[in-house]
Structure formats: structure tokens, C-alpha cells
Amino acid sequence: MRITDARTGRGTEIRPRRAGLLRVRTLAGRPGRPFDLSDLRALLVTDLLLRTAEIRHLQVTTSLGHPASPPQQVKLLQRDAGLLGIHPPADEDAGPADLEVRAHRAGPAGRPASAEQAPGADGPPPCIEVGPVTAPYLPDKSGLPSPLAALSPAGPEPLAVRLALLGTPHRAPADLTAESLAEAQATLHRWRRVVAEAARTVSRPPFADAVELAFDGFADDLDPAPALRLLDELSTRPELPTGAVFETFVRVDQVLALELSRDVGWSPR
């Protein structure tokens, strides 16, 4: 697995200090400010990293570093992360990190003093810096403590927000417009319908080469674009063996975590 180190601007291979165990710390928040969508996006990138590493049989522990934020705000951030299908990080220092994921403009205070490198370590660990997130079509609600509170209550489901964020390279700014979120929600509906229909047929092995290509994208700087293109293509190819389509969707969704098999077995009345 390789990432672009924000400290050097160069690609670097992820190297755990301890064989088989990767420690990742997410740095979020700024002193005196509530958490926002950019902090939630950093947790999403950490979750994508965790799921990619686990596919490659690497154990991952995650922790959250932040300023001295009120416990209630941390709790709301964790709650919103859960709504986006994100594995909750431990809100505590878990020892020296092998890799950091930093929200856009997360201040130095986001890294607790106890999280400094252990004696003898060769400087700070590699760092992924995640681009900012804006939702300019909504009224200004920057004073709200919950990141998802910045989005309209009548808007799409949280997993559509996850998909919309995955559709933008994690280092680039993400603009959650009403149009982009509506498109993400429509894509989720379409993919879930394909999976639900394919589940009714005889199972076949997934398209191995396509799955490998998708997973190679995840391992190369956490790029979900090959996986998203694959699912979009499969959803428009009715001539393909549906059993293999089903298994491919399910396999890739182990990393995307969009609950694409949610509607399997369900039929409208």
C-alpha cells in the first residue's frame, strides 16, 4: 500500500513498525471550533484505509487526536461517523502512529503531546492531508456542533454523502452541492437495485481481474475511482452473468461500505 505523504509530497509505502499491525491516528478539529464536514471526511479516509488494509490481511487500530474538544462534540462526531459507515476510532492515545490522517487545517493541537514519536523514532510518521468539504447551497450553520447538521435534514441518506465524498480525490476540495448529493443517492438506488435483482440468480465467482483492479486502486493512494467505475459499468451491462455481477458488487463493497446488498430479499408491496 502506498500513499502520498503530505509532509514531503512524495509517494511512500506504508510500513508498520510492528509486523501485521498498522496504527493510524486521525487528527481532526481546530481549537475553539466545532468539528465540521472536513473532520468527518478525514475519518472517512481513515476508514477506507482500514478496510483496504484488512482486505490485505493487515490488522489496523485507529485513534482520534483532537484539541481539547468538549466530550459532547466528540460524541457527535463519532455518531455522525457511524452514520457514514465509519469504524469508530478510539478517542485516546494508542501509542506511536505509523500513519496520520489529517483533516484540512487541523491544528497542531489535534495531536496530543502523548502522541509524539517514541524515543529513537525517525521523525514524524507519513501523513495524509484530506481536502476541505463545503456545502454552500445550505444556510450557514457553522455554529452547529454536529458535522452532518450542516446538511439539509430533507437531503439524501448519509451513505449518499459517503459516496459523494468517495467520488472526489481525497486531497482535493469536495463541494457537496444539492446536485452531487442527489446524483449520489440515485446511484445508490441504481446499484442496490442491480444487486437485489442479481441476488435472485445462481451465484458465480466474481470477475477476478476487475476486483483486483479495484483493489489495486484502493492500495495506490486510496483511490476508489477504479472501483466506482467498475460498479457503474456493471450496472449498465445486462448481458453479463448476473451471479458474477452480484458477487463482484458484494466483494468491492467490503471496502466502499455503501450497503449495496441492503435491498436483497426485499420486494415492494
Side-chain angles (χ1 to χ4, degrees), residues 1-240:
M1 293 177 61
R2 293 179 60 84
I3 55 99
T4 299
D5 187 352
R7 292 190 170 95
T8 65
R10 297 193 298 268
T12 184
E13 186 175 344
I14 298 175
R15 297 182 181 276
R17 286 179 176 80
R18 177 179 166 187
L21 176 64
L22 179 67
R23 293 187 175 95
V24 183
R25 177 174 295 107
T26 306
L27 305 181
R30 285 179 284 169
R33 298 284 304 267
F35 295 110
D36 59 23
L37 288 168
S38 298
D39 300 311
L40 199 58
R41 189 185 192 190
L43 288 173
L44 172 58
V45 170
T46 299
D47 185 69
L48 187 66
L49 173 66
L50 179 150
R51 293 174 184 274
T52 301
E54 289 185 338
I55 285 290
R56 294 173 175 264
H57 309 292
L58 182 65
Q59 182 183 355
V60 182
T61 64
T62 60
S63 61
L64 177 64
H66 56 83
S69 303
Q72 183 62 21
Q73 287 190 13
V74 176
K75 184 176 180 180
L76 287 170
L77 177 67
Q78 297 273 30
R79 182 204 66 183
D80 285 359
L83 292 174
L84 262 62
I86 295 169
H87 286 86
D91 183 27
E92 59 186 20
D93 179 22
D98 302 308
L99 177 68
E100 290 178 347
V101 179
R102 182 172 62 202
H104 178 68
R105 298 196 329 190
R111 185 179 182 184
S114 58
E116 295 301 325
Q117 293 300 295
D122 298 327
C127 177
I128 299 172
E129 181 160 302
V130 179
V133 182
T134 56
Y137 70 98
L138 294 166
D140 181 14
K141 297 183 179 180
S142 58
L144 289 172
S146 168
L148 286 183
L151 299 176
S152 169
E157 65 177 278
L159 290 181
V161 178
R162 181 181 178 107
L163 176 57
L165 290 174
L166 290 174
T168 302
H170 62 261
R171 291 190 302 277
D175 188 5
L176 297 183
T177 64
E179 292 76 15
S180 68
L181 289 171
E183 181 180 355
Q185 184 68 78
T187 298
L188 279 183
H189 286 325
R190 176 162 50 88
W191 288 353
R192 287 172 181 161
R193 184 170 61 249
V194 168
V195 172
E197 291 173 355
R200 300 191 183 104
T201 62
V202 177
S203 179
R204 293 192 181 185
F207 300 111
D209 290 345
V211 171
E212 182 178 1
L213 183 64
F215 285 177
D216 284 348
F218 294 134
D220 185 10
D221 211 14
L222 299 176
D223 183 10
L228 298 177
R229 286 196 297 267
L230 168 63
L231 300 190
D232 219 34
E233 180 181 357
L234 293 181
S235 68
T236 60
R237 298 280 301 278
E239 76 278 9
L240 294 174

